[in-house]
Amino acid sequence: MTPTSPLNDPFDLLDISSQVGEEERDIQATVRAFLDDHVRPHIADWFETATFPRELVPELGKLGVLGMHLTGYGCAGTSATAYGLACLELEAVDSGLRSFVSVQGSLAMYSIWRYGSEEQKQEWLPRLAAGEAIGCFGLTEPDHGSDPANMSTRAVRDGSDWILNGAKMWITNGGVADVATVWASTEEGIRGFLVPRGTPGFTTHDIKQKLSMRASVTSELSFADVRLPDSARLPEARSLGAPLGCLNEARFGILFGALGAGRDSLQAALRYADSRIQFDRPISGFQLTQRKLADMAVSLNTGMLLSLHLAKLKEAGRIRPEQISIGKLNNVRAALDVARECRTILGANGISLEYAPLRHANNLESVLTYEGTEEIHTLVVGQALTGQSAFR
Amino acid sequence: MKIVVLVKQVPDTAADKRLDPDTLAVDRGAVDGLINEMDEFAVEEALQLVEKHGGEVTVVSMGPDDATDAYKKALQMGADKAVFLSDPALAGSDALATSEALAKVLGTLEYDLVILGSEASDARTSLVPALLAERLGLPQLTFASKVEVDGSAIRVNRLTDYGHDVVEAALPAVVSVVEKINEPRYPSFKGIMAAKKKPVEALDLAGLGLDAGSVGWAGSRSKVLDATVAPPRAKGTIVTDEGNGGSELVGFLASKKFV
């Protein structure tokens, strides 16, 4: 029998939600309800005034969003699919908010959860999960982005202590963080250190005049002869593989999240196209507009299929870094194209913060570049195909 | 203390609802169901009382066999267990029949306090709390905007048109709450995951020992004879003020008997 009933959800043309478990749908719906009540009404103002809504952090902790896919230490222990869907809802409001959650859960908390000592986990994870503390993650440097192996930040032993010198750049949450996971080169290779706010020699400067991620804090971290005990070192992190492992966690959230920004843009454009009358009819009736809308819906729906497939691989413990690269590459590119195309449907109104698409597009410019640039992810796929690395 | 919270699954208030032409009841199959909003305040109040005084919260719901979202939401918010009464013969129950069935369910449970929302967003009769208290022979404290429990006594602020009354009773008692009372929590992810493992007791009329003739269409003493779709709202009148705006306005209000 061919179903004739209208679609329940034009953003789910393929009925992909039927492939998601009840618990995961409930978690997604809870995140969406919370954001609709407490975040969505304010987000355009926060973007315009470059405000990070710090008061939301404990609320997100109460829900269980922070470090939700980790187990123990106050973390909720959800599936990878649930984590992805929560990121999608967060980024449907603003990439800055999703970035906060990605960095807190997948970079700061995951680095401690995966590579930390039991004492470090006990000290930091419950507070980070509850949103009583904020974490950040320092890998990128002013002169070393795609090539972190050549980082300049250096830690040298001094008796039983370490002395840390260097700088980190483009660090989400940096200026508001209570603890920073900082990666440094040492004589023994790349190592990670937990540096609490207030440690002598550790300072942060927030980056101003951003055109993207304005509702999120982005900072430079500076380390001038910062003395750290050996207990500040993440004992299980023994190479660059450790921070790259954290980034794979975060990228998994991004490949879902970006689709949220795309969905929210398409929703705004569709609503506008239905109500905007030109030549005596809604512009949604024009073929050129319908082509745009249809292409965008196809792109977002296929991106969602890709995301759920990768979630299943992740849950089975079989996901490979190049598969995450495919997901991040495809979905962020798709979302950015969608957000820009939606702006064209909105016409002049599209440049106003009253409508979300251009805000999403501006945010996605950052998402396209951070956590592995589009170019590097492309070359990761190229390497998987040819067996040759084009960049190292 | 042991608290029972009654929750009802209702059609989504945001959805387009229609009446089944045969039964003149809401066509529940056509729209998504969810917990009656006011009942979330009842669940929240029960959870807060138990957090303060200790004890447990049992959620009771009655409805078609797929109307499980309402009690599930209460379990996700933190209620300890659920009792779900479902039987095809319950369909069509009016407020009297509903209160009879719910009173019978409460007869199988131990409790110090029964809390429920003061109205359901579908039928909006606000009758069940009072009917239920009467059937149970318990004091009724309705439209509560504040609840305090002290030992075996309960005191509530009962919302009125001019403010509130302060009403006291001995436990056990039946309390219905209004939205002003609290801010319902969102279920936490841990709560959502834990809810699946919480006990749900499924009851039908036979298991409850209730005669099918005393509930449902057969046992209801009110009957919907006819229903008409509300006419679409007529276009408003625009008066251009040419010095006569005030008198036009007063004339309009007078014609509606507002002045």
PDB file of all heavy atoms in Angstrom, chain A residues 359-390:
ATOM      1  N   ARG A 359      23.145  34.105  10.393  1.00  0.00           N
ATOM      2  CA  ARG A 359      23.861  33.832  11.656  1.00  0.00           C
ATOM      3  C   ARG A 359      24.434  32.415  11.615  1.00  0.00           C
ATOM      4  O   ARG A 359      25.606  32.190  11.955  1.00  0.00           O
ATOM      5  CB  ARG A 359      22.899  34.009  12.848  1.00  0.00           C
ATOM      6  CG  ARG A 359      23.480  33.601  14.184  1.00  0.00           C
ATOM      7  CD  ARG A 359      22.601  34.044  15.365  1.00  0.00           C
ATOM      8  NE  ARG A 359      21.222  33.585  15.277  1.00  0.00           N
ATOM      9  CZ  ARG A 359      20.804  32.381  15.648  1.00  0.00           C
ATOM     10  NH1 ARG A 359      21.664  31.495  16.123  1.00  0.00           N
ATOM     11  NH2 ARG A 359      19.526  32.051  15.544  1.00  0.00           N
ATOM     12  N   HIS A 360      23.602  31.457  11.174  1.00  0.00           N
ATOM     13  CA  HIS A 360      24.105  30.077  11.071  1.00  0.00           C
ATOM     14  C   HIS A 360      25.267  30.005  10.081  1.00  0.00           C
ATOM     15  O   HIS A 360      26.269  29.338  10.337  1.00  0.00           O
ATOM     16  CB  HIS A 360      22.984  29.135  10.628  1.00  0.00           C
ATOM     17  CG  HIS A 360      21.978  28.825  11.703  1.00  0.00           C
ATOM     18  ND1 HIS A 360      22.347  28.386  12.951  1.00  0.00           N
ATOM     19  CD2 HIS A 360      20.625  28.866  11.712  1.00  0.00           C
ATOM     20  CE1 HIS A 360      21.259  28.177  13.687  1.00  0.00           C
ATOM     21  NE2 HIS A 360      20.195  28.466  12.955  1.00  0.00           N
ATOM     22  N   ALA A 361      25.122  30.670   8.915  1.00  0.00           N
ATOM     23  CA  ALA A 361      26.183  30.604   7.901  1.00  0.00           C
ATOM     24  C   ALA A 361      27.484  31.166   8.470  1.00  0.00           C
ATOM     25  O   ALA A 361      28.559  30.571   8.300  1.00  0.00           O
ATOM     26  CB  ALA A 361      25.758  31.371   6.648  1.00  0.00           C
ATOM     27  N   ASN A 362      27.387  32.300   9.161  1.00  0.00           N
ATOM     28  CA  ASN A 362      28.602  32.893   9.744  1.00  0.00           C
ATOM     29  C   ASN A 362      29.235  31.944  10.763  1.00  0.00           C
ATOM     30  O   ASN A 362      30.455  31.784  10.799  1.00  0.00           O
ATOM     31  CB  ASN A 362      28.261  34.224  10.423  1.00  0.00           C
ATOM     32  CG  ASN A 362      28.305  35.375   9.435  1.00  0.00           C
ATOM     33  OD1 ASN A 362      28.299  35.157   8.231  1.00  0.00           O
ATOM     34  ND2 ASN A 362      28.346  36.584   9.949  1.00  0.00           N
ATOM     35  N   ASN A 363      28.398  31.325  11.591  1.00  0.00           N
ATOM     36  CA  ASN A 363      28.933  30.361  12.562  1.00  0.00           C
ATOM     37  C   ASN A 363      29.592  29.185  11.859  1.00  0.00           C
ATOM     38  O   ASN A 363      30.657  28.703  12.262  1.00  0.00           O
ATOM     39  CB  ASN A 363      27.809  29.836  13.458  1.00  0.00           C
ATOM     40  CG  ASN A 363      27.385  30.845  14.518  1.00  0.00           C
ATOM     41  OD1 ASN A 363      28.170  31.711  14.900  1.00  0.00           O
ATOM     42  ND2 ASN A 363      26.160  30.719  14.998  1.00  0.00           N
ATOM     43  N   LEU A 364      28.937  28.697  10.793  1.00  0.00           N
ATOM     44  CA  LEU A 364      29.439  27.495  10.124  1.00  0.00           C
ATOM     45  C   LEU A 364      30.775  27.745   9.423  1.00  0.00           C
ATOM     46  O   LEU A 364      31.520  26.801   9.144  1.00  0.00           O
ATOM     47  CB  LEU A 364      28.386  26.970   9.133  1.00  0.00           C
ATOM     48  CG  LEU A 364      27.169  26.313   9.809  1.00  0.00           C
ATOM     49  CD1 LEU A 364      26.015  26.171   8.815  1.00  0.00           C
ATOM     50  CD2 LEU A 364      27.511  24.948  10.395  1.00  0.00           C
ATOM     51  N   GLU A 365      31.099  29.028   9.136  1.00  0.00           N
ATOM     52  CA  GLU A 365      32.442  29.326   8.615  1.00  0.00           C
ATOM     53  C   GLU A 365      33.501  28.832   9.595  1.00  0.00           C
ATOM     54  O   GLU A 365      34.535  28.286   9.198  1.00  0.00           O
ATOM     55  CB  GLU A 365      32.612  30.835   8.389  1.00  0.00           C
ATOM     56  CG  GLU A 365      31.734  31.431   7.309  1.00  0.00           C
ATOM     57  CD  GLU A 365      32.167  31.060   5.891  1.00  0.00           C
ATOM     58  OE1 GLU A 365      33.249  30.476   5.716  1.00  0.00           O
ATOM     59  OE2 GLU A 365      31.394  31.374   4.956  1.00  0.00           O
ATOM     60  N   SER A 366      33.239  29.017  10.894  1.00  0.00           N
ATOM     61  CA  SER A 366      34.170  28.500  11.906  1.00  0.00           C
ATOM     62  C   SER A 366      34.165  26.979  11.937  1.00  0.00           C
ATOM     63  O   SER A 366      35.206  26.338  12.020  1.00  0.00           O
ATOM     64  CB  SER A 366      33.789  29.019  13.302  1.00  0.00           C
ATOM     65  OG  SER A 366      33.899  30.405  13.368  1.00  0.00           O
ATOM     66  N   VAL A 367      32.940  26.431  11.869  1.00  0.00           N
ATOM     67  CA  VAL A 367      32.813  24.973  11.986  1.00  0.00           C
ATOM     68  C   VAL A 367      33.519  24.279  10.823  1.00  0.00           C
ATOM     69  O   VAL A 367      34.111  23.211  10.979  1.00  0.00           O
ATOM     70  CB  VAL A 367      31.321  24.570  12.068  1.00  0.00           C
ATOM     71  CG1 VAL A 367      31.179  23.060  12.227  1.00  0.00           C
ATOM     72  CG2 VAL A 367      30.638  25.287  13.227  1.00  0.00           C
ATOM     73  N   LEU A 368      33.481  24.935   9.646  1.00  0.00           N
ATOM     74  CA  LEU A 368      34.132  24.354   8.465  1.00  0.00           C
ATOM     75  C   LEU A 368      35.641  24.233   8.685  1.00  0.00           C
ATOM     76  O   LEU A 368      36.277  23.306   8.197  1.00  0.00           O
ATOM     77  CB  LEU A 368      33.856  25.247   7.245  1.00  0.00           C
ATOM     78  CG  LEU A 368      34.279  24.699   5.883  1.00  0.00           C
ATOM     79  CD1 LEU A 368      33.382  23.531   5.475  1.00  0.00           C
ATOM     80  CD2 LEU A 368      34.225  25.790   4.816  1.00  0.00           C
ATOM     81  N   THR A 369      36.192  25.178   9.450  1.00  0.00           N
ATOM     82  CA  THR A 369      37.648  25.245   9.628  1.00  0.00           C
ATOM     83  C   THR A 369      38.126  24.545  10.895  1.00  0.00           C
ATOM     84  O   THR A 369      39.173  23.922  10.904  1.00  0.00           O
ATOM     85  CB  THR A 369      38.094  26.727   9.629  1.00  0.00           C
ATOM     86  OG1 THR A 369      37.924  27.236   8.308  1.00  0.00           O
ATOM     87  CG2 THR A 369      39.539  26.878  10.053  1.00  0.00           C
ATOM     88  N   TYR A 370      37.326  24.670  11.992  1.00  0.00           N
ATOM     89  CA  TYR A 370      37.875  24.120  13.247  1.00  0.00           C
ATOM     90  C   TYR A 370      37.697  22.606  13.338  1.00  0.00           C
ATOM     91  O   TYR A 370      36.957  22.010  12.595  1.00  0.00           O
ATOM     92  CB  TYR A 370      37.352  24.884  14.458  1.00  0.00           C
ATOM     93  CG  TYR A 370      35.936  24.681  14.963  1.00  0.00           C
ATOM     94  CD1 TYR A 370      35.137  23.590  14.642  1.00  0.00           C
ATOM     95  CD2 TYR A 370      35.405  25.622  15.861  1.00  0.00           C
ATOM     96  CE1 TYR A 370      33.866  23.437  15.181  1.00  0.00           C
ATOM     97  CE2 TYR A 370      34.131  25.474  16.389  1.00  0.00           C
ATOM     98  CZ  TYR A 370      33.378  24.378  16.050  1.00  0.00           C
ATOM     99  OH  TYR A 370      32.133  24.233  16.577  1.00  0.00           O
ATOM    100  N   GLU A 371      38.473  22.036  14.223  1.00  0.00           N
ATOM    101  CA  GLU A 371      38.485  20.581  14.429  1.00  0.00           C
ATOM    102  C   GLU A 371      38.767  19.836  13.133  1.00  0.00           C
ATOM    103  O   GLU A 371      38.088  18.883  12.776  1.00  0.00           O
ATOM    104  CB  GLU A 371      37.168  20.127  15.060  1.00  0.00           C
ATOM    105  CG  GLU A 371      36.830  21.007  16.259  1.00  0.00           C
ATOM    106  CD  GLU A 371      36.354  20.241  17.458  1.00  0.00           C
ATOM    107  OE1 GLU A 371      36.311  19.006  17.384  1.00  0.00           O
ATOM    108  OE2 GLU A 371      36.050  20.891  18.466  1.00  0.00           O
ATOM    109  N   GLY A 372      39.802  20.299  12.452  1.00  0.00           N
ATOM    110  CA  GLY A 372      40.174  19.701  11.167  1.00  0.00           C
ATOM    111  C   GLY A 372      39.541  20.505  10.053  1.00  0.00           C
ATOM    112  O   GLY A 372      38.319  20.506   9.895  1.00  0.00           O
ATOM    113  N   THR A 373      40.371  21.194   9.259  1.00  0.00           N
ATOM    114  CA  THR A 373      39.812  22.019   8.187  1.00  0.00           C
ATOM    115  C   THR A 373      39.191  21.121   7.120  1.00  0.00           C
ATOM    116  O   THR A 373      39.477  19.924   7.039  1.00  0.00           O
ATOM    117  CB  THR A 373      40.908  22.868   7.514  1.00  0.00           C
ATOM    118  OG1 THR A 373      41.853  21.965   6.913  1.00  0.00           O
ATOM    119  CG2 THR A 373      41.621  23.760   8.515  1.00  0.00           C
ATOM    120  N   GLU A 374      38.379  21.756   6.285  1.00  0.00           N
ATOM    121  CA  GLU A 374      37.790  21.025   5.166  1.00  0.00           C
ATOM    122  C   GLU A 374      38.890  20.391   4.317  1.00  0.00           C
ATOM    123  O   GLU A 374      38.769  19.260   3.851  1.00  0.00           O
ATOM    124  CB  GLU A 374      36.950  21.996   4.324  1.00  0.00           C
ATOM    125  CG  GLU A 374      36.124  21.299   3.287  1.00  0.00           C
ATOM    126  CD  GLU A 374      35.832  22.173   2.084  1.00  0.00           C
ATOM    127  OE1 GLU A 374      36.575  23.132   1.811  1.00  0.00           O
ATOM    128  OE2 GLU A 374      34.837  21.863   1.393  1.00  0.00           O
ATOM    129  N   GLU A 375      40.000  21.148   4.154  1.00  0.00           N
ATOM    130  CA  GLU A 375      41.091  20.649   3.306  1.00  0.00           C
ATOM    131  C   GLU A 375      41.735  19.409   3.921  1.00  0.00           C
ATOM    132  O   GLU A 375      41.981  18.414   3.222  1.00  0.00           O
ATOM    133  CB  GLU A 375      42.145  21.762   3.129  1.00  0.00           C
ATOM    134  CG  GLU A 375      41.661  22.966   2.318  1.00  0.00           C
ATOM    135  CD  GLU A 375      40.783  23.952   3.100  1.00  0.00           C
ATOM    136  OE1 GLU A 375      40.518  23.718   4.307  1.00  0.00           O
ATOM    137  OE2 GLU A 375      40.354  24.948   2.516  1.00  0.00           O
ATOM    138  N   ILE A 376      42.011  19.453   5.221  1.00  0.00           N
ATOM    139  CA  ILE A 376      42.675  18.303   5.855  1.00  0.00           C
ATOM    140  C   ILE A 376      41.765  17.072   5.831  1.00  0.00           C
ATOM    141  O   ILE A 376      42.209  15.954   5.539  1.00  0.00           O
ATOM    142  CB  ILE A 376      43.100  18.650   7.304  1.00  0.00           C
ATOM    143  CG1 ILE A 376      44.236  19.668   7.288  1.00  0.00           C
ATOM    144  CG2 ILE A 376      43.504  17.389   8.063  1.00  0.00           C
ATOM    145  CD1 ILE A 376      45.582  19.151   6.766  1.00  0.00           C
ATOM    146  N   HIS A 377      40.456  17.265   6.108  1.00  0.00           N
ATOM    147  CA  HIS A 377      39.553  16.107   6.072  1.00  0.00           C
ATOM    148  C   HIS A 377      39.478  15.517   4.667  1.00  0.00           C
ATOM    149  O   HIS A 377      39.399  14.301   4.491  1.00  0.00           O
ATOM    150  CB  HIS A 377      38.157  16.482   6.583  1.00  0.00           C
ATOM    151  CG  HIS A 377      38.111  16.639   8.070  1.00  0.00           C
ATOM    152  ND1 HIS A 377      38.408  15.613   8.939  1.00  0.00           N
ATOM    153  CD2 HIS A 377      37.832  17.710   8.847  1.00  0.00           C
ATOM    154  CE1 HIS A 377      38.312  16.045  10.188  1.00  0.00           C
ATOM    155  NE2 HIS A 377      37.961  17.319  10.164  1.00  0.00           N
ATOM    156  N   THR A 378      39.541  16.399   3.663  1.00  0.00           N
ATOM    157  CA  THR A 378      39.564  15.909   2.276  1.00  0.00           C
ATOM    158  C   THR A 378      40.814  15.051   2.048  1.00  0.00           C
ATOM    159  O   THR A 378      40.742  13.974   1.441  1.00  0.00           O
ATOM    160  CB  THR A 378      39.564  17.100   1.306  1.00  0.00           C
ATOM    161  OG1 THR A 378      38.419  17.913   1.578  1.00  0.00           O
ATOM    162  CG2 THR A 378      39.515  16.639  -0.146  1.00  0.00           C
ATOM    163  N   LEU A 379      41.942  15.524   2.567  1.00  0.00           N
ATOM    164  CA  LEU A 379      43.191  14.785   2.357  1.00  0.00           C
ATOM    165  C   LEU A 379      43.222  13.484   3.169  1.00  0.00           C
ATOM    166  O   LEU A 379      43.894  12.524   2.770  1.00  0.00           O
ATOM    167  CB  LEU A 379      44.386  15.670   2.705  1.00  0.00           C
ATOM    168  CG  LEU A 379      44.552  16.907   1.798  1.00  0.00           C
ATOM    169  CD1 LEU A 379      45.765  17.722   2.215  1.00  0.00           C
ATOM    170  CD2 LEU A 379      44.646  16.497   0.326  1.00  0.00           C
ATOM    171  N   VAL A 380      42.508  13.454   4.280  1.00  0.00           N
ATOM    172  CA  VAL A 380      42.395  12.202   5.044  1.00  0.00           C
ATOM    173  C   VAL A 380      41.649  11.165   4.202  1.00  0.00           C
ATOM    174  O   VAL A 380      42.050   9.996   4.127  1.00  0.00           O
ATOM    175  CB  VAL A 380      41.665  12.444   6.383  1.00  0.00           C
ATOM    176  CG1 VAL A 380      41.277  11.125   7.045  1.00  0.00           C
ATOM    177  CG2 VAL A 380      42.549  13.263   7.323  1.00  0.00           C
ATOM    178  N   VAL A 381      40.593  11.618   3.524  1.00  0.00           N
ATOM    179  CA  VAL A 381      39.849  10.708   2.648  1.00  0.00           C
ATOM    180  C   VAL A 381      40.733  10.308   1.466  1.00  0.00           C
ATOM    181  O   VAL A 381      40.784   9.139   1.062  1.00  0.00           O
ATOM    182  CB  VAL A 381      38.528  11.354   2.172  1.00  0.00           C
ATOM    183  CG1 VAL A 381      37.786  10.430   1.212  1.00  0.00           C
ATOM    184  CG2 VAL A 381      37.628  11.683   3.372  1.00  0.00           C
ATOM    185  N   GLY A 382      41.479  11.292   0.927  1.00  0.00           N
ATOM    186  CA  GLY A 382      42.393  10.994  -0.179  1.00  0.00           C
ATOM    187  C   GLY A 382      43.436   9.955   0.213  1.00  0.00           C
ATOM    188  O   GLY A 382      43.747   9.041  -0.560  1.00  0.00           O
ATOM    189  N   GLN A 383      43.918  10.066   1.431  1.00  0.00           N
ATOM    190  CA  GLN A 383      44.914   9.104   1.910  1.00  0.00           C
ATOM    191  C   GLN A 383      44.298   7.706   2.053  1.00  0.00           C
ATOM    192  O   GLN A 383      44.933   6.701   1.706  1.00  0.00           O
ATOM    193  CB  GLN A 383      45.455   9.579   3.259  1.00  0.00           C
ATOM    194  CG  GLN A 383      46.548   8.679   3.812  1.00  0.00           C
ATOM    195  CD  GLN A 383      47.109   9.213   5.130  1.00  0.00           C
ATOM    196  OE1 GLN A 383      46.663  10.243   5.639  1.00  0.00           O
ATOM    197  NE2 GLN A 383      48.084   8.503   5.660  1.00  0.00           N
ATOM    198  N   ALA A 384      43.032   7.671   2.526  1.00  0.00           N
ATOM    199  CA  ALA A 384      42.358   6.374   2.666  1.00  0.00           C
ATOM    200  C   ALA A 384      42.182   5.715   1.293  1.00  0.00           C
ATOM    201  O   ALA A 384      42.240   4.496   1.166  1.00  0.00           O
ATOM    202  CB  ALA A 384      41.006   6.563   3.353  1.00  0.00           C
ATOM    203  N   LEU A 385      41.976   6.552   0.271  1.00  0.00           N
ATOM    204  CA  LEU A 385      41.761   6.007  -1.081  1.00  0.00           C
ATOM    205  C   LEU A 385      43.059   5.549  -1.740  1.00  0.00           C
ATOM    206  O   LEU A 385      43.102   4.532  -2.429  1.00  0.00           O
ATOM    207  CB  LEU A 385      41.125   7.083  -1.979  1.00  0.00           C
ATOM    208  CG  LEU A 385      39.660   7.378  -1.760  1.00  0.00           C
ATOM    209  CD1 LEU A 385      39.264   8.627  -2.539  1.00  0.00           C
ATOM    210  CD2 LEU A 385      38.803   6.196  -2.197  1.00  0.00           C
ATOM    211  N   THR A 386      44.135   6.350  -1.547  1.00  0.00           N
ATOM    212  CA  THR A 386      45.354   6.127  -2.332  1.00  0.00           C
ATOM    213  C   THR A 386      46.483   5.514  -1.530  1.00  0.00           C
ATOM    214  O   THR A 386      47.484   5.067  -2.095  1.00  0.00           O
ATOM    215  CB  THR A 386      45.878   7.465  -2.897  1.00  0.00           C
ATOM    216  OG1 THR A 386      46.281   8.288  -1.793  1.00  0.00           O
ATOM    217  CG2 THR A 386      44.803   8.184  -3.698  1.00  0.00           C
ATOM    218  N   GLY A 387      46.337   5.533  -0.216  1.00  0.00           N
ATOM    219  CA  GLY A 387      47.438   5.052   0.607  1.00  0.00           C
ATOM    220  C   GLY A 387      48.587   6.044   0.706  1.00  0.00           C
ATOM    221  O   GLY A 387      49.605   5.754   1.325  1.00  0.00           O
ATOM    222  N   GLN A 388      48.422   7.232   0.109  1.00  0.00           N
ATOM    223  CA  GLN A 388      49.484   8.232   0.177  1.00  0.00           C
ATOM    224  C   GLN A 388      49.019   9.449   0.968  1.00  0.00           C
ATOM    225  O   GLN A 388      47.949   9.980   0.688  1.00  0.00           O
ATOM    226  CB  GLN A 388      49.859   8.700  -1.241  1.00  0.00           C
ATOM    227  CG  GLN A 388      50.302   7.586  -2.162  1.00  0.00           C
ATOM    228  CD  GLN A 388      50.416   8.087  -3.579  1.00  0.00           C
ATOM    229  OE1 GLN A 388      51.324   8.849  -3.896  1.00  0.00           O
ATOM    230  NE2 GLN A 388      49.490   7.682  -4.431  1.00  0.00           N
ATOM    231  N   SER A 389      49.843   9.882   1.930  1.00  0.00           N
ATOM    232  CA  SER A 389      49.509  11.098   2.654  1.00  0.00           C
ATOM    233  C   SER A 389      50.010  12.302   1.872  1.00  0.00           C
ATOM    234  O   SER A 389      51.174  12.373   1.518  1.00  0.00           O
ATOM    235  CB  SER A 389      50.159  11.091   4.041  1.00  0.00           C
ATOM    236  OG  SER A 389      50.014  12.369   4.615  1.00  0.00           O
ATOM    237  N   ALA A 390      49.095  13.251   1.626  1.00  0.00           N
ATOM    238  CA  ALA A 390      49.479  14.453   0.875  1.00  0.00           C
ATOM    239  C   ALA A 390      49.947  15.565   1.799  1.00  0.00           C
ATOM    240  O   ALA A 390      50.290  16.638   1.337  1.00  0.00           O
ATOM    241  CB  ALA A 390      48.287  14.934   0.042  1.00  0.00           C
TER     242      ALA A 390
END
